């Protein structure tokens, strides 16, 4: 039975991956200076570069989750066309989007009892969510059923490791991740925090590193500690308008392992609202988060 994979633009997939994986991406909303935009993978309403330039100029951004009505608007045409649906949602630890989709699923299941609707809480963010979607789509292309893919996602999502570092602590301060005092003194001392997404899908500070280069090296060290057969993996790296730093991490990885591939993309405005310019994030499968 044919089924469609849907996800959110918080997965930060490249337009090329969206096409090759044949997935549907729901663009989430962000607001800058009182004007709202949709975060499309190709950035046609606002590019990531423009967004980060605005943040650097002092503008602030807010975001909105996908509500149940909006999810139903995207899902219903797929169900009407006779396809089943697998939705891989942004982490419930960071947004109410998963809960909205789950509520919509219950209503749609009554309306389309013959269709299968699977809603999976990825407990992932940025290209961590995107990498989970990548594996799901590859399994679909290999002929796996919606039940098989859904079960694989549940069994493996807590092996999807996320390691971040940020360049500007003030964006984490606005999101309540660090205190005002910590942001002030950390900025003065050149502290670059290393964070990860934990098993509950929350963004958690793990270490305080002195210096940018050392914080980027720490991401690779965490991969070295937990990665499962890195030579067999496709690695994802996302960045907040700092491609050279993302490339530095990619080069460090390639120097250690002959990985299958490394895919780099920008962090879109929805995630970037909370992480800010200068963020670098590394994603891979590991023994534990």
């Amino acid at each position: 039975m044919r089924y469609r994979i849907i996800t959110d633009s918080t997965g930060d997939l490249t337009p090329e991956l969206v096409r090759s994986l044949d997935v549907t991406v729901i663009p989430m909303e962000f607001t800058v200076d009182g004007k709202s935009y949709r975060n499309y993978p190709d950035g046609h309403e606002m590019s990531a570069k423009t967004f980060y330039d605005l943040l650097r100029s002092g503008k602030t951004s807010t975001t909105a989750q996908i509500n149940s009505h909006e999810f139903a608007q995207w899902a219903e045409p797929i169900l009407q066309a006779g396809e089943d649906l697998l939705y891989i949602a942004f982490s419930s630890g960071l947004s109410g989007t998963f809960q909205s989709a789950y509520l919509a699923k219950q209503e749609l299941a009554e309306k389309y009892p013959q269709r299968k609707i699977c809603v999976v809480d990825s407990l992932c963010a940025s290209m961590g969510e995107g990498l989970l979607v990548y594996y799901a789509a590859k399994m679909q292309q290999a002929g796996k059923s919606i039940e098989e893919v859904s079960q694989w996602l549940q069994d493996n999502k807590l092996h999807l490791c996320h390691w971040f570092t940020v360049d500007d602590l003030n964006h984490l301060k606005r999101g309540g991740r660090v205190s005002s005092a910590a942001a002030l003194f950390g900025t003065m001392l050149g502290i670059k925090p290393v964070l990860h997404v934990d098993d509950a899908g929350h963004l958690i500070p793990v270490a305080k590193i002195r210096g940018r280069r050392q914080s980027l090296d720490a991401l690779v060290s965490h991969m070295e500690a937990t990665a499962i057969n890195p030579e067999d993996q496709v690695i994802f790296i996302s960045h907040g308008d700092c491609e050279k730093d993302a490339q530095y991490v990619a080069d460090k990885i390639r120097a250690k392992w002959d990985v299958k591939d490394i895919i780099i993309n920008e962090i879109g405005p929805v995630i970037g609202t909370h992480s800010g310019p200068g963020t670098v994030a590394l994603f891979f499968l590991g023994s534990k988060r």
Side-chain angles (χ1 to χ4, degrees):
M1 183 66 68
R2 284 183 52 80
Y3 61 98
R4 187 88 192 150
I5 295 176
I6 304 183
T7 191
D8 322 303
S9 59
T10 45
D12 291 331
L13 290 168
T14 67
E16 294 77 19
L17 277 175
V18 172
R19 285 192 294 271
S20 67
L21 299 174
D22 193 24
V23 296
T24 296
V25 177
I26 302 177
M28 291 180 72
E29 186 178 285
F30 63 101
T31 302
V32 182
D33 251 12
K35 185 176 179 182
S36 294
Y37 304 86
R38 293 284 176 177
N39 173 203
Y40 287 94
D42 65 2
H44 68 262
E45 288 199 5
M46 181 185 286
S47 70
K49 173 64 176 170
T50 299
F51 172 76
Y52 287 114
D53 284 346
L54 288 170
L55 290 191
R56 289 188 176 106
S57 74
K59 303 294 185 185
T60 58
S61 175
T62 58
T63 61
Q65 69 188 48
I66 297 169
N67 60 43
S68 56
H69 174 70
E70 187 175 7
F71 175 78
Q73 284 184 311
W74 282 86
E76 194 155 13
I78 295 168
L79 302 173
Q80 287 174 340
E83 292 186 293
D84 295 335
L85 189 156
L86 170 59
Y87 178 52
I88 303 171
F90 184 30
S91 171
S92 63
L94 297 169
S95 169
T97 294
F98 166 73
Q99 186 61 32
S100 295
Y102 190 78
L103 291 173
K105 170 194 169 176
Q106 293 175 306
E107 294 181 12
L108 290 168
E110 292 182 10
K111 195 171 179 181
Y112 300 93
Q114 74 280 22
R115 299 268 65 84
K116 294 170 185 170
I117 307 170
C118 299
V119 177
V120 176
D121 180 1
S122 72
L123 298 173
C124 295
S126 189
M127 287 186 84
E129 180 185 357
L131 187 51
L132 205 64
V133 172
Y134 173 89
Y135 281 115
K138 289 295 186 182
M139 291 179 70
Q140 180 190 36
Q141 290 174 353
K144 299 294 185 182
S145 69
I146 190 171
E147 294 88 354
E148 288 173 312
V149 176
S150 297
Q151 190 59 55
W152 186 92
L153 291 170
Q154 297 292 2
D155 293 342
N156 288 277
K157 62 187 181 183
L158 294 184
H159 293 289
L160 206 305
C161 301
H162 303 53
W163 289 99
F164 296 73
T165 188
V166 302
D167 199 38
D168 184 350
L169 286 160
N170 288 303
H171 294 279
L172 292 180
K173 180 190 77 174
R174 291 190 197 102
R177 302 295 173 189
V178 299
S179 68
S180 296
L184 174 63
F185 289 111
T187 300
M188 290 171 59
L189 295 171
I191 297 297
K192 307 298 180 185
V194 171
L195 310 95
H196 84 137
V197 172
D198 68 6
D199 285 354
H202 299 123
L203 189 60
I204 305 294
V206 174
K208 299 173 183 177
I209 308 293
R210 182 73 68 87
R212 175 67 163 179
R213 186 59 57 90
Q214 289 83 349
S215 69
L216 298 174
D217 291 341
L219 304 183
V220 182
S221 295
H222 282 294
M223 179 175 169
E224 192 168 19
T226 63
I228 301 169
N229 299 326
E231 294 83 2
D232 296 331
Q233 291 197 44
V234 174
I235 308 301
F236 279 13
I237 301 173
S238 60
H239 65 90
D241 196 29
C242 54
E243 188 172 2
K244 286 184 178 179
D245 289 340
Q247 191 61 57
Y248 171 82
V249 173
D251 291 343
K252 292 275 291 188
I253 290 169
R254 286 196 176 98
K256 287 181 177 291
W257 304 284
D258 185 21
V259 297
K260 279 187 174 180
D261 196 9
I262 297 177
I263 295 175
I264 298 173
N265 194 30
E266 294 168 312
I267 297 170
V270 173
I271 298 292
T273 291
H274 306 285
S275 58
T279 300
V280 177
L282 171 62
F283 309 96
F284 57 91
L285 287 173
S287 57
K288 61 178 181 178
R289 285 194 170 183

